[in-house]
Amino acid sequence: MKICVVGLGYIGLPTALLFANSQNIVLGVDTNTRIVDTLNKGELPFDEPSLLELFQNAKNNFTASSSVESSDVYVIAVPTPLENGMKLADLNAVKNASESIAKVIKEGQLVILESTVPPGTSENIVIPILRKNMNKYFYYAHCPERAIPGKTLHEMVCNDRIIGGLDVKSAKKTKQLYSSFVKGNIYITNTKTAEFVKLMENTFRDINIALANEFSLMAEELGIDVWKAIEIANKHPRVDILKPGPGVGGHCLAVDPLFLAEKSSRSRIVTLAREINDSMPGYVVKLVKDMLKDIEHPTITLLGLAYKGNVDDTRESPSFKIKKIAESEGMTVKLYDPFIRDFPGNHQTIHDAVKDTDCIVLVTDHEVFKDIEPKSLQVRNKNLIDTRNILNHHVWRDAGYHVKILGVGLI
Ligand SMILES: NC(=O)c1ccc[n+]([C@@H]2O[C@H](COP(=O)([O-])OP(=O)(O)OC[C@H]3O[C@@H](n4cnc5c(N)ncnc54)[C@H](O)[C@@H]3O)[C@@H](O)[C@H]2O)c1
């Protein structure tokens, strides 16, 4: 098979390389020439466990390019963010990718949309664009991606997948293609249901986190440790409460529920959960203000810019919202994330980042933060807020720190 993967980001590149490692000839296409050049030089544009090995194995079967070519299969894996400042899906990249495929598609070829989209996008936007120049039959399926950064390859291979076919023939053809590397079960449905299922999954998690966040606020008010309470509640065989935290980031959970809300007038709990999770960065700044109420124009240090632990993905990260709100309150904000290269204002060492700080705020649950030795840090005032409850608080208290843990009320 000749497969053209359009969009070589966190999802498209690993997908392209898995296909190339399954004896297909793969052309990876990206409008970002830096990504194309990097790949054609034999380097990766981002880190992901086992990706380099897969890339090196795929060398003879994979090339990167800036333009789409006629192929047996096209896979669209372009971004679907929110429109600037709006709670609506920005489908421009999906439309542009579909237009570029429409120029070269031939009868009997297969188009697969992997990008996450609002229900009805395949039917109302992608398929009509593909049909514009070509009235003959082509196969089409929506095959949403479920993998997470940090475990992308493992999950792409081992997770179960859904395929929403335009018709039975399209679904079967797509299933056969993915079976070349997917070890999980593959379930077949129609395009709109597949689009909806993907959004339901992320919305379920977003609502569960909102509930955990609401529990954490209640626990603070009532003098309870929410982390211990959740641990005990989760001993119930049918209860699985996720963790509270400083807000929800990433390109999925913070965005996808809004794709549902956009398309349905029935969204209530979905929208409310988004509001609760979006309010958490502001709540973290309130905790900082309470702790530093006697210090004028304090300096604080945020540990972590990534939206989740042990990865370098900063998209929709609560750290940026905390920074913005804290600065608007007159605080100076210093940043430290060892996973992020070249981010403006990101300090190279923890020691530079905490110099003259009045409060350290742990935002991201990177494992390496557990190794910080508080006694070695030269701060101005010894205050710590742990929004993820990952640090050894005894060690920090022994070093003289005043410690506040999100979700732990005064007992
Ligand atoms: N990253 C994840 O963990 C994850 C998980 C599940 C689903 N998704 C979904 O997968 C889709 C892709 O996400 P991602 O994280 O890989 O995005 P990304 O931003 O990492 O990569 C997308 C790539 O597409 C390129 N691009 C944009 N428009 C293009 C066009 N018209 N033609 C060719 N290339 C184009 C961009 O330059 C970029 O390199 C999104 O819909 C996302 O919601 C992502």
Side-chain angles (χ1 to χ4, degrees):
M1 288 273 192
K2 180 171 176 187
I3 302 179
C4 178
V5 178
V6 187
L8 297 174
Y10 289 100
I11 294 303
L13 182 58
T15 304
L17 296 177
L18 284 166
F19 279 128
N21 273 268
S22 309
Q23 286 162 5
N24 297 293
I25 300 298
V26 178
L27 178 73
V29 175
D30 206 291
T31 42
N32 183 336
T33 48
R34 187 189 54 80
I35 292 179
V36 172
D37 295 344
T38 305
L39 286 165
N40 286 337
K41 267 195 284 173
E43 292 164 22
L44 286 176
F46 57 88
D47 296 330
E48 180 63 36
S50 308
L51 194 63
L52 187 60
E53 205 183 320
L54 204 66
F55 183 43
Q56 284 164 347
N57 284 345
K59 265 211 170 114
N60 296 331
N61 288 358
F62 175 82
T63 351
S65 163
S66 301
S67 42
V68 173
E69 287 174 15
S70 186
S71 306
D72 302 309
V73 181
Y74 308 87
V75 178
I76 304 175
V78 295
T80 46
L82 292 175
E83 267 183 39
N84 238 349
M86 311 257 273
K87 294 188 173 175
L88 300 171
D90 175 350
L91 294 176
N92 278 321
V94 170
K95 288 179 191 165
N96 292 340
S98 308
E99 298 277 0
S100 59
I101 294 168
K103 288 184 189 141
V104 295
I105 190 171
K106 296 200 175 89
E107 185 176 3
Q109 295 179 340
L110 165 66
V111 181
I112 300 166
L113 175 67
E114 278 220 6
S115 301
T116 308
V117 290
T121 303
S122 292
E123 229 170 271
N124 301 329
I125 296 179
V126 182
I127 295 171
I129 292 176
L130 296 171
R131 284 210 173 117
K132 225 166 40 181
N133 301 332
M134 224 258 322
N135 257 330
K136 303 228 166 73
Y137 180 81
F138 58 85
Y139 300 92
Y140 178 88
H142 175 49
C143 185
E145 189 49 68
R146 287 170 158 168
I148 52 162
K151 279 195 198 165
T152 305
L153 286 169
H154 172 79
E155 293 216 341
M156 279 182 171
V157 172
C158 296
N159 286 357
D160 291 351
R161 289 190 89 109
I162 334 156
I163 290 173
L166 172 64
D167 47 38
V168 175
K169 282 190 285 184
S170 296
K172 280 192 176 159
K173 203 172 166 67
T174 309
K175 182 172 178 178
Q176 195 183 10
L177 181 76
Y178 279 91
S179 299
S180 63
F181 69 82
V182 171
K183 292 188 183 147
N185 297 318
I186 300 179
Y187 299 98
I188 287 179
T189 179
N190 59 36
T191 56
K192 204 191 273 187
T193 306
E195 291 162 346
F196 191 61
V197 168
K198 166 70 195 174
L199 301 175
M200 282 166 73
E201 292 163 5
N202 284 342
T203 302
F204 171 82
R205 290 178 58 76
D206 195 47
I207 292 173
N208 193 331
I209 295 169
L211 183 62
N213 281 331
E214 191 159 295
F215 285 152
S216 78
L217 304 184
M218 289 173 169
E220 288 198 13
E221 200 178 60
L222 298 172
I224 291 165
D225 177 339
V226 81
W227 304 88
K228 285 193 184 135
I230 289 176
E231 193 184 324
I232 298 167
N234 282 349
K235 301 286 182 206
H236 185 294
R238 288 173 295 283
V239 172
D240 186 12
I241 304 166
L242 295 176
K243 291 178 186 157
V248 172
H251 244 209
C252 292
L253 265 57
V255 171
D256 296 355
L258 298 171
F259 290 5
L260 279 181
E262 168 187 343
K263 287 289 171 196
S264 168
S265 61
R266 299 290 181 176
S267 164
R268 292 171 66 197
I269 193 169
V270 172
T271 314
L272 183 60
R274 276 285 70 240
E275 280 169 23
I276 293 170
N277 290 335
D278 272 352
S279 73
M280 291 310 287
Y283 185 71
V284 172
V285 176
K286 180 197 164 312
L287 294 180
V288 175
K289 278 171 69 183
D290 290 350
M291 205 171 212
L292 305 183
K293 58 181 178 303
D294 300 326
I295 304 174
E296 246 183 82
H297 304 303
T299 295
I300 67 169
T301 300
L302 304 186
L303 297 188
L305 292 171
Y307 79 87
K308 68 189 279 273
N310 310 319
V311 300
D312 63 358
D313 191 344
T314 60
R315 292 179 293 181
E316 311 292 329
S317 173
S319 305
F320 299 113
K321 293 178 194 145
I322 294 173
K323 178 176 183 288
K324 206 167 163 192
I325 300 169
E327 284 173 345
S328 74
E329 297 277 352
M331 300 181 202
T332 299
V333 180
K334 298 177 80 177
L335 307 171
Y336 177 62
D337 191 319
F339 284 81
I340 315 289
R341 302 178 203 140
D342 307 329
F343 188 86
N346 186 25
H347 288 269
Q348 292 306 303
T349 70
I350 176 90
H351 298 284
D352 289 343
V354 301
K355 195 165 174 284
D356 297 331
T357 203
D358 297 300
C359 183
I360 296 172
V361 185
L362 184 135
V363 185
T364 310
D365 47 352
H366 289 319
E367 279 292 312
V368 288
F369 289 155
K370 293 182 182 171
D371 300 331
I372 296 170
E373 288 181 11
K375 281 192 176 144
S376 72
L377 305 177
Q378 301 289 320
V379 296
R380 184 160 55 204
N381 281 295
K382 292 186 172 180
N383 292 301
L384 170 74
I385 296 179
D386 185 353
T387 70
R388 301 279 187 174
N389 191 24
I390 62 159
L391 298 175
N392 185 338
H393 306 117
H394 296 299
V395 176
W396 285 78
R397 287 193 177 105
D398 284 351
Y401 278 77
H402 175 204
V403 175
K404 165 76 194 158
I405 307 156
L406 178 90
V408 179
L410 286 177
I411 301 162

